[in-house]
Amino acid sequence: DLTPTVFYAGRPSQARPFRNNLSRIVTNQTLPENFRRPIPLPPEARCPAHGAILQADAAEPPLEGAVSGACGCAFPIRLGIPRFVPDGGYASAFGLQWNAFRRTQLDSFSGTRISRDRLTRCLGGSLEPLRGASILEVGCGAGRFTEILLEAGARVFASDLSNAVEANRANCGDHPGYF
């Protein structure tokens, strides 16, 4: 059955459709290697509306399923990544671009230090304070700063309004500090 799976985001009493609108069929054989390895939900994961601790349906987060909190909210997992906003909207074009050109801005791919130098400058001249820090990266895109944060020794919870998180995971998901 190729019908998109319908989930409901939010409280059951205020349920609204949350559709899996994948534009292509992705099989386990076409996924990047790091997508086949489940990434455990970090203990800091919380319901964005209520702050309740989120837990996956299974002991190991599946490629498809849901995370939910004691508050009654549930959020779908697609390609192993929890989704907190519905697909579509203005951010979807960014996701298409980041997935089509997922390595374009990565220093590791371009052989430059553009992202590293920018992040170092924005953090006052040193990446050392990142070692051991837990970082919530909002607007992670394909991971130009995610890879630098991880290399500096941070634990990174990468998030984005678009499916750019898929490009981010493909680029950075092998790192042990990544979620």
Side-chain angles (χ1 to χ4, degrees), residues 6 10 18 41 44-45 50 65 68 74 85-86 92 96 114 117 123 130 143 153 156 164 167 170 178:
V6 177
F18 193 99
L41 199 62
E44 299 90 348
H50 303 98
S68 58
V85 295
S92 62
L96 291 172
I114 295 169
D117 291 349
L123 293 177
L130 297 172
V156 181
Y178 178 84

PDB file of all heavy atoms in Angstrom, residues 6 10 18 41 44-45 50 65 68 74 85-86 92 96 114 117 123 130 143 153 156 164 167 170 178:
ATOM      1  N   VAL A   6      -0.915   8.519   7.873  1.00  0.00           N
ATOM      2  CA  VAL A   6      -1.407   9.716   8.548  1.00  0.00           C
ATOM      3  C   VAL A   6      -1.150   9.570  10.035  1.00  0.00           C
ATOM      4  O   VAL A   6      -1.500   8.568  10.643  1.00  0.00           O
ATOM      5  CB  VAL A   6      -2.917   9.928   8.299  1.00  0.00           C
ATOM      6  CG1 VAL A   6      -3.427  11.128   9.074  1.00  0.00           C
ATOM      7  CG2 VAL A   6      -3.186  10.104   6.819  1.00  0.00           C
ATOM      8  N   GLY A  10       0.232  16.646  18.141  1.00  0.00           N
ATOM      9  CA  GLY A  10      -0.413  17.434  19.184  1.00  0.00           C
ATOM     10  C   GLY A  10      -1.293  16.585  20.076  1.00  0.00           C
ATOM     11  O   GLY A  10      -1.271  15.369  20.035  1.00  0.00           O
ATOM     12  N   PHE A  18      -1.259  14.886   9.971  1.00  0.00           N
ATOM     13  CA  PHE A  18       0.184  15.071   9.776  1.00  0.00           C
ATOM     14  C   PHE A  18       0.568  14.014   8.759  1.00  0.00           C
ATOM     15  O   PHE A  18       0.607  12.845   9.061  1.00  0.00           O
ATOM     16  CB  PHE A  18       0.892  14.833  11.113  1.00  0.00           C
ATOM     17  CG  PHE A  18       2.324  15.281  11.127  1.00  0.00           C
ATOM     18  CD1 PHE A  18       2.650  16.496  11.690  1.00  0.00           C
ATOM     19  CD2 PHE A  18       3.322  14.506  10.596  1.00  0.00           C
ATOM     20  CE1 PHE A  18       3.963  16.923  11.741  1.00  0.00           C
ATOM     21  CE2 PHE A  18       4.636  14.923  10.629  1.00  0.00           C
ATOM     22  CZ  PHE A  18       4.954  16.130  11.203  1.00  0.00           C
ATOM     23  N   LEU A  41      16.808   8.188  21.055  1.00  0.00           N
ATOM     24  CA  LEU A  41      16.241   9.477  21.424  1.00  0.00           C
ATOM     25  C   LEU A  41      16.994   9.995  22.645  1.00  0.00           C
ATOM     26  O   LEU A  41      17.129   9.292  23.645  1.00  0.00           O
ATOM     27  CB  LEU A  41      14.760   9.294  21.753  1.00  0.00           C
ATOM     28  CG  LEU A  41      13.859  10.501  21.736  1.00  0.00           C
ATOM     29  CD1 LEU A  41      13.815  11.128  20.341  1.00  0.00           C
ATOM     30  CD2 LEU A  41      12.458  10.122  22.159  1.00  0.00           C
ATOM     31  N   GLU A  44      17.096  14.496  26.682  1.00  0.00           N
ATOM     32  CA  GLU A  44      16.611  15.882  26.699  1.00  0.00           C
ATOM     33  C   GLU A  44      15.382  16.092  25.818  1.00  0.00           C
ATOM     34  O   GLU A  44      14.785  17.160  25.857  1.00  0.00           O
ATOM     35  CB  GLU A  44      17.714  16.840  26.205  1.00  0.00           C
ATOM     36  CG  GLU A  44      18.962  16.856  27.035  1.00  0.00           C
ATOM     37  CD  GLU A  44      20.010  15.845  26.575  1.00  0.00           C
ATOM     38  OE1 GLU A  44      19.710  14.961  25.745  1.00  0.00           O
ATOM     39  OE2 GLU A  44      21.133  15.933  27.080  1.00  0.00           O
ATOM     40  N   ALA A  45      15.000  15.102  25.000  1.00  0.00           N
ATOM     41  CA  ALA A  45      13.874  15.265  24.073  1.00  0.00           C
ATOM     42  C   ALA A  45      12.576  15.496  24.850  1.00  0.00           C
ATOM     43  O   ALA A  45      12.211  14.713  25.724  1.00  0.00           O
ATOM     44  CB  ALA A  45      13.741  14.042  23.173  1.00  0.00           C
ATOM     45  N   HIS A  50       4.427  21.001  25.891  1.00  0.00           N
ATOM     46  CA  HIS A  50       4.186  20.763  27.319  1.00  0.00           C
ATOM     47  C   HIS A  50       5.426  20.429  28.135  1.00  0.00           C
ATOM     48  O   HIS A  50       5.349  20.345  29.355  1.00  0.00           O
ATOM     49  CB  HIS A  50       3.163  19.634  27.479  1.00  0.00           C
ATOM     50  CG  HIS A  50       1.886  19.923  26.772  1.00  0.00           C
ATOM     51  ND1 HIS A  50       1.601  19.410  25.526  1.00  0.00           N
ATOM     52  CD2 HIS A  50       0.859  20.723  27.099  1.00  0.00           C
ATOM     53  CE1 HIS A  50       0.432  19.863  25.126  1.00  0.00           C
ATOM     54  NE2 HIS A  50      -0.039  20.663  26.057  1.00  0.00           N
ATOM     55  N   GLY A  65       7.439   5.384  12.747  1.00  0.00           N
ATOM     56  CA  GLY A  65       6.738   5.163  14.004  1.00  0.00           C
ATOM     57  C   GLY A  65       6.361   6.485  14.621  1.00  0.00           C
ATOM     58  O   GLY A  65       5.989   7.417  13.906  1.00  0.00           O
ATOM     59  N   SER A  68       6.145   9.853  21.738  1.00  0.00           N
ATOM     60  CA  SER A  68       5.022  10.446  22.456  1.00  0.00           C
ATOM     61  C   SER A  68       5.433  10.783  23.878  1.00  0.00           C
ATOM     62  O   SER A  68       6.441  10.295  24.381  1.00  0.00           O
ATOM     63  CB  SER A  68       3.829   9.487  22.458  1.00  0.00           C
ATOM     64  OG  SER A  68       4.193   8.260  23.049  1.00  0.00           O
ATOM     65  N   ALA A  74       1.765  13.222  20.391  1.00  0.00           N
ATOM     66  CA  ALA A  74       2.524  12.242  19.630  1.00  0.00           C
ATOM     67  C   ALA A  74       3.064  12.901  18.375  1.00  0.00           C
ATOM     68  O   ALA A  74       2.411  13.755  17.779  1.00  0.00           O
ATOM     69  CB  ALA A  74       1.642  11.052  19.275  1.00  0.00           C
ATOM     70  N   VAL A  85       6.794  19.354  13.061  1.00  0.00           N
ATOM     71  CA  VAL A  85       5.945  20.265  12.288  1.00  0.00           C
ATOM     72  C   VAL A  85       5.443  19.523  11.056  1.00  0.00           C
ATOM     73  O   VAL A  85       6.113  18.611  10.559  1.00  0.00           O
ATOM     74  CB  VAL A  85       6.692  21.560  11.856  1.00  0.00           C
ATOM     75  CG1 VAL A  85       7.079  22.389  13.068  1.00  0.00           C
ATOM     76  CG2 VAL A  85       7.907  21.241  11.026  1.00  0.00           C
ATOM     77  N   PRO A  86       4.270  19.895  10.534  1.00  0.00           N
ATOM     78  CA  PRO A  86       3.757  19.241   9.325  1.00  0.00           C
ATOM     79  C   PRO A  86       4.639  19.546   8.112  1.00  0.00           C
ATOM     80  O   PRO A  86       5.314  20.572   8.055  1.00  0.00           O
ATOM     81  CB  PRO A  86       2.368  19.862   9.136  1.00  0.00           C
ATOM     82  CG  PRO A  86       2.039  20.523  10.424  1.00  0.00           C
ATOM     83  CD  PRO A  86       3.332  20.856  11.097  1.00  0.00           C
ATOM     84  N   SER A  92       9.526  23.950   2.906  1.00  0.00           N
ATOM     85  CA  SER A  92       9.724  22.735   2.116  1.00  0.00           C
ATOM     86  C   SER A  92      10.702  22.940   0.962  1.00  0.00           C
ATOM     87  O   SER A  92      11.441  22.030   0.601  1.00  0.00           O
ATOM     88  CB  SER A  92       8.393  22.187   1.609  1.00  0.00           C
ATOM     89  OG  SER A  92       7.763  23.121   0.763  1.00  0.00           O
ATOM     90  N   LEU A  96      14.098  20.659  -0.080  1.00  0.00           N
ATOM     91  CA  LEU A  96      14.393  20.116  -1.412  1.00  0.00           C
ATOM     92  C   LEU A  96      15.801  20.504  -1.850  1.00  0.00           C
ATOM     93  O   LEU A  96      16.554  19.682  -2.363  1.00  0.00           O
ATOM     94  CB  LEU A  96      13.363  20.617  -2.434  1.00  0.00           C
ATOM     95  CG  LEU A  96      11.951  20.085  -2.273  1.00  0.00           C
ATOM     96  CD1 LEU A  96      11.001  20.802  -3.228  1.00  0.00           C
ATOM     97  CD2 LEU A  96      11.915  18.585  -2.513  1.00  0.00           C
ATOM     98  N   ILE A 114      35.365  27.974   5.663  1.00  0.00           N
ATOM     99  CA  ILE A 114      34.406  29.080   5.717  1.00  0.00           C
ATOM    100  C   ILE A 114      33.463  28.939   6.911  1.00  0.00           C
ATOM    101  O   ILE A 114      33.286  29.872   7.695  1.00  0.00           O
ATOM    102  CB  ILE A 114      33.620  29.193   4.392  1.00  0.00           C
ATOM    103  CG1 ILE A 114      34.569  29.574   3.253  1.00  0.00           C
ATOM    104  CG2 ILE A 114      32.483  30.204   4.519  1.00  0.00           C
ATOM    105  CD1 ILE A 114      33.958  29.466   1.868  1.00  0.00           C
ATOM    106  N   ASP A 117      35.479  28.993  10.324  1.00  0.00           N
ATOM    107  CA  ASP A 117      35.930  30.342  10.664  1.00  0.00           C
ATOM    108  C   ASP A 117      34.765  31.226  11.106  1.00  0.00           C
ATOM    109  O   ASP A 117      34.894  32.003  12.056  1.00  0.00           O
ATOM    110  CB  ASP A 117      36.658  30.983   9.477  1.00  0.00           C
ATOM    111  CG  ASP A 117      38.006  30.324   9.193  1.00  0.00           C
ATOM    112  OD1 ASP A 117      38.471  29.517  10.031  1.00  0.00           O
ATOM    113  OD2 ASP A 117      38.572  30.598   8.118  1.00  0.00           O
ATOM    114  N   LEU A 123      31.556  32.772  18.005  1.00  0.00           N
ATOM    115  CA  LEU A 123      31.674  32.294  19.390  1.00  0.00           C
ATOM    116  C   LEU A 123      32.824  32.959  20.139  1.00  0.00           C
ATOM    117  O   LEU A 123      33.253  32.477  21.182  1.00  0.00           O
ATOM    118  CB  LEU A 123      31.824  30.769  19.416  1.00  0.00           C
ATOM    119  CG  LEU A 123      30.602  29.989  18.947  1.00  0.00           C
ATOM    120  CD1 LEU A 123      30.885  28.494  18.934  1.00  0.00           C
ATOM    121  CD2 LEU A 123      29.394  30.288  19.826  1.00  0.00           C
ATOM    122  N   LEU A 130      32.800  24.482  23.377  1.00  0.00           N
ATOM    123  CA  LEU A 130      31.796  23.533  22.883  1.00  0.00           C
ATOM    124  C   LEU A 130      32.042  22.115  23.367  1.00  0.00           C
ATOM    125  O   LEU A 130      31.116  21.308  23.425  1.00  0.00           O
ATOM    126  CB  LEU A 130      31.756  23.546  21.357  1.00  0.00           C
ATOM    127  CG  LEU A 130      31.339  24.861  20.703  1.00  0.00           C
ATOM    128  CD1 LEU A 130      31.527  24.780  19.196  1.00  0.00           C
ATOM    129  CD2 LEU A 130      29.904  25.186  21.055  1.00  0.00           C
ATOM    130  N   GLY A 143      23.798  20.791   7.465  1.00  0.00           N
ATOM    131  CA  GLY A 143      24.797  20.479   8.487  1.00  0.00           C
ATOM    132  C   GLY A 143      26.106  21.223   8.417  1.00  0.00           C
ATOM    133  O   GLY A 143      27.094  20.774   8.987  1.00  0.00           O
ATOM    134  N   GLY A 153      33.537  18.582  19.650  1.00  0.00           N
ATOM    135  CA  GLY A 153      33.261  17.788  20.840  1.00  0.00           C
ATOM    136  C   GLY A 153      31.909  18.020  21.476  1.00  0.00           C
ATOM    137  O   GLY A 153      31.657  17.562  22.588  1.00  0.00           O
ATOM    138  N   VAL A 156      25.065  17.248  19.602  1.00  0.00           N
ATOM    139  CA  VAL A 156      24.223  18.138  18.808  1.00  0.00           C
ATOM    140  C   VAL A 156      22.870  17.498  18.528  1.00  0.00           C
ATOM    141  O   VAL A 156      22.789  16.390  17.998  1.00  0.00           O
ATOM    142  CB  VAL A 156      24.899  18.516  17.471  1.00  0.00           C
ATOM    143  CG1 VAL A 156      24.021  19.464  16.667  1.00  0.00           C
ATOM    144  CG2 VAL A 156      26.268  19.149  17.728  1.00  0.00           C
ATOM    145  N   ALA A 164      15.266  19.090   5.471  1.00  0.00           N
ATOM    146  CA  ALA A 164      16.718  19.245   5.412  1.00  0.00           C
ATOM    147  C   ALA A 164      17.387  18.400   6.493  1.00  0.00           C
ATOM    148  O   ALA A 164      18.562  18.044   6.359  1.00  0.00           O
ATOM    149  CB  ALA A 164      17.119  20.714   5.576  1.00  0.00           C
ATOM    150  N   ALA A 167      19.117  15.478   4.997  1.00  0.00           N
ATOM    151  CA  ALA A 167      20.453  15.752   4.471  1.00  0.00           C
ATOM    152  C   ALA A 167      21.447  15.878   5.623  1.00  0.00           C
ATOM    153  O   ALA A 167      22.576  15.389   5.546  1.00  0.00           O
ATOM    154  CB  ALA A 167      20.443  17.031   3.631  1.00  0.00           C
ATOM    155  N   ALA A 170      22.275  12.450   6.851  1.00  0.00           N
ATOM    156  CA  ALA A 170      23.142  11.772   5.885  1.00  0.00           C
ATOM    157  C   ALA A 170      24.572  12.295   5.989  1.00  0.00           C
ATOM    158  O   ALA A 170      25.525  11.524   5.870  1.00  0.00           O
ATOM    159  CB  ALA A 170      22.603  11.959   4.466  1.00  0.00           C
ATOM    160  N   TYR A 178      25.752  12.849  17.755  1.00  0.00           N
ATOM    161  CA  TYR A 178      24.694  13.402  16.895  1.00  0.00           C
ATOM    162  C   TYR A 178      23.318  12.865  17.252  1.00  0.00           C
ATOM    163  O   TYR A 178      23.135  11.697  17.526  1.00  0.00           O
ATOM    164  CB  TYR A 178      24.986  13.028  15.445  1.00  0.00           C
ATOM    165  CG  TYR A 178      23.934  13.499  14.472  1.00  0.00           C
ATOM    166  CD1 TYR A 178      23.975  14.787  13.967  1.00  0.00           C
ATOM    167  CD2 TYR A 178      22.909  12.672  14.069  1.00  0.00           C
ATOM    168  CE1 TYR A 178      23.011  15.238  13.068  1.00  0.00           C
ATOM    169  CE2 TYR A 178      21.953  13.107  13.181  1.00  0.00           C
ATOM    170  CZ  TYR A 178      22.005  14.386  12.681  1.00  0.00           C
ATOM    171  OH  TYR A 178      21.054  14.818  11.803  1.00  0.00           O
TER     172      TYR A 178
END
